[in-house]
Amino acid sequence: MNYDAYFQSRIDELHAEGRYRVFADLERHRGSFPKATRHKDGGTQDVTVWCSNDYLGMGQHPDLLAAMHEALDRSGAGAGGTRNISGTNHYHVLLEQELADLHAKEAALLFTSGYVSNWAALSTLASQMKNCVVLSDASNHASMIEGIRHSRAECIVFKHNDPRDLAAKLSRVVPDRPKLVAFESVYSMDGDISPMKEICDVADDFGAMTYLDEVHAVGLYGPRGGGVAEREGLMDRITVIEGTLGKAFGVMGGYITGTTAMCDFVRSFASGFIFTTSLPPAIAAGAAASIRHLKASSAERERQQDRVAVLRRRLDQIGIPHLRNPSHIVPVMVGNPVKCKWISDVLLDQYGIYIQPINYPTVPRGTERLRITPSPFHTDADIDHLVGALESLWSQCALSRAVA
């Protein structure tokens, strides 16, 4: 078999379908977010980033950077090992304390990414509890799906954001089996928010644990940035709250929070925690500083919400279709993979606007989109430029407009 020929043929298929992923080579500049320099073909271009998961621009915040510099100077670059073997730095301990406090839980456990925290925690919980069954929302993230698959536990998928379907499926599970309901707060592609109270009510009725992914909500919702569960006063009803440090908190890493016993259980049995090098101390220090700042400051959240509202209003004025949702995510719907990529390419090359096209398999075929994430630092002029460019390209592509 000609292996390279096979690899190339599959890549060619992606090109033909308009869903080949091209990475934008960006250089972020401290203090100028969301502006960046794009490197391409030996040249550079100034661009405005409209699709960053650094939702609040905290990756540039002076408090975060100062904490990282201090930790780097004090402890050096790397952690030096796994958490078990010399790699638990005091900065990790302090960060876990901040996270537990953020979610009003007894304990927290750090991982190297949000993907790993979902994969490791779900696979461990579902595999180590004998005869466990997982009830998984149909729109759960790939990391949650992979964790559940890896556990080899029985998985029952319930309709997206549908507590009635969840109840119907739980009613058919033997009462004394361990049960785990896994769902998200903010779903990243459509930007919709789960009916959390109703899901908790169903889980309680059937004696099920609840596992909540808050990666697109921590830092952004709640009076201290504890997520949708904090905003809704439901943190005490969630067994496991999982989050990330790589979005609103501006650095990298993932975590879970819950009871001391649950976190210690995952710490003791999760291969994805045990056998990997821990986060660099500077990353942990920066994350802790970011969390502390957002616990005390709502200015970033309020400004971001204003920018989201302004952009939605401007899109409505020119009939650009976008999914209605109550979150900070603005999915502009194109519905064609080739046109979606073309619009993204032209926005970047001709207008200096970077929005990554979102195509299958990230979203279903026919729902291709531009996923826009306004930040507190996008100006009115930035919004004017984006809306004007979209209006022009929408006409060039002969795409349908939304009716006000």
Side-chain angles (χ1 to χ4, degrees):
M1 179 175 179
N2 186 330
Y3 296 107
D4 272 352
Y6 171 77
F7 300 150
Q8 190 59 53
S9 70
R10 296 298 302 275
I11 294 298
D12 291 342
E13 290 174 8
L14 295 178
H15 280 287
E17 294 178 28
R19 59 187 186 95
Y20 177 76
R21 290 180 171 91
V22 177
F23 296 163
D25 182 354
L26 302 178
E27 181 184 354
R28 284 158 54 106
H29 300 290
R30 184 182 64 185
S32 64
F33 181 82
K35 308 299 181 183
T37 298
R38 178 196 184 198
H39 294 263
K40 184 182 180 183
D41 302 329
T44 61
Q45 173 194 15
D46 293 333
V47 300
T48 302
V49 180
W50 275 98
C51 56
S52 176
N53 280 345
D54 187 359
Y55 290 134
L56 299 178
M58 288 301 296
Q60 314 282 309
H61 197 279
D63 290 354
L64 185 153
L65 298 179
M68 293 184 72
H69 280 295
E70 188 274 339
L72 185 64
D73 290 339
R74 183 168 183 162
S75 295
T82 65
R83 289 291 298 273
N84 184 51
I85 305 176
S86 83
T88 295
N89 190 281
H90 189 54
Y91 289 107
H92 299 128
V93 176
L94 295 176
L95 175 54
E96 287 174 339
Q97 292 172 357
E98 287 287 349
L99 289 165
D101 174 77
L102 176 67
H103 295 291
K105 297 295 187 184
E106 294 177 357
L109 189 66
L110 280 172
F111 294 84
T112 50
S113 74
Y115 192 103
V116 173
S117 55
N118 268 336
W119 180 88
L122 280 167
S123 65
T124 301
L125 290 167
S127 66
Q128 293 291 326
M129 290 190 294
K130 186 177 180 180
N131 202 28
C132 180
V133 58
V134 182
L135 287 296
S136 178
D137 186 286
S139 293
N140 276 344
H141 190 263
S143 59
M144 302 175 77
I145 295 169
E146 287 298 321
I148 296 165
R149 283 177 179 167
H150 185 74
S151 75
R152 299 185 179 180
E154 180 184 359
C155 179
I156 300 172
V157 177
F158 64 94
K159 294 177 183 177
H160 177 52
N161 280 351
D162 191 333
R164 289 186 179 181
D165 189 54
L166 172 62
K169 288 181 164 59
L170 276 168
S171 70
R172 295 192 286 271
V173 177
V174 176
D176 61 355
R177 286 186 69 180
K179 295 170 285 290
L180 176 61
V181 177
F183 65 108
E184 302 182 37
S185 56
V186 178
Y187 288 85
S188 63
M189 289 299 117
D190 287 352
D192 54 335
I193 295 178
S194 63
M196 193 177 299
K197 179 182 181 301
E198 291 78 5
I199 290 176
C200 288
D201 288 343
V202 172
D204 288 348
D205 287 344
F206 290 92
M209 297 172 63
T210 46
Y211 183 104
L212 176 65
D213 177 317
E214 287 255 45
V215 297
H216 293 278
V218 290
L220 298 165
Y221 301 94
R224 300 198 310 157
V228 176
E230 183 194 29
R231 186 187 71 181
E232 302 300 318
L234 296 169
M235 289 192 295
D236 62 315
R237 300 189 63 187
I238 306 294
T239 311
V240 185
I241 296 179
E242 184 268 350
T244 185
L245 306 169
K247 294 182 170 62
F249 293 130
V251 282
M252 68 171 291
Y255 64 88
I256 61 169
T257 63
T259 64
T260 300
M262 187 278 297
C263 288
D264 197 19
F265 178 82
V266 174
R267 181 191 73 88
S268 299
F269 292 100
S271 62
F273 175 84
I274 296 169
F275 297 107
T276 192
T277 300
S278 55
L279 288 171
I283 295 292
S290 182
I291 294 164
R292 283 193 297 270
H293 176 83
L294 291 174
K295 283 177 179 176
S297 172
S298 62
E300 292 82 3
R301 290 187 281 276
E302 292 170 359
R303 174 66 176 174
Q304 187 210 35
Q305 291 163 10
D306 171 79
R307 299 290 81 192
V308 170
V310 170
L311 176 60
R312 288 188 184 277
R313 185 167 61 248
R314 293 293 307 279
L315 293 174
D316 287 340
Q317 289 170 354
I318 61 172
I320 299 296
H322 57 97
L323 288 183
R324 308 291 171 177
N325 64 53
S327 77
H328 59 285
I329 295 167
V330 184
V332 168
M333 305 306 290
V334 180
N336 179 290
V338 175
K339 289 183 178 181
C340 191
K341 186 176 187 310
W342 182 84
I343 291 173
S344 175
D345 289 344
V346 175
L347 282 172
L348 186 55
D349 292 335
Q350 297 184 19
Y351 293 90
I353 294 170
Y354 174 46
I355 309 173
Q356 188 72 14
I358 307 296
N359 293 336
Y360 177 84
T362 305
V363 296
R365 295 183 193 274
T367 69
E368 294 80 10
R369 66 198 65 184
L370 301 172
R371 178 182 178 274
I372 301 175
T373 54
S375 79
F377 299 99
H378 284 98
T379 66
D380 288 341
D382 291 331
I383 294 174
D384 289 342
H385 185 50
L386 171 63
V387 171
L390 286 173
E391 183 171 28
S392 175
L393 297 179
W394 224 254
S395 296
Q396 291 182 52
C397 284
L399 291 165
S400 61
R401 305 231 177 192
V403 177

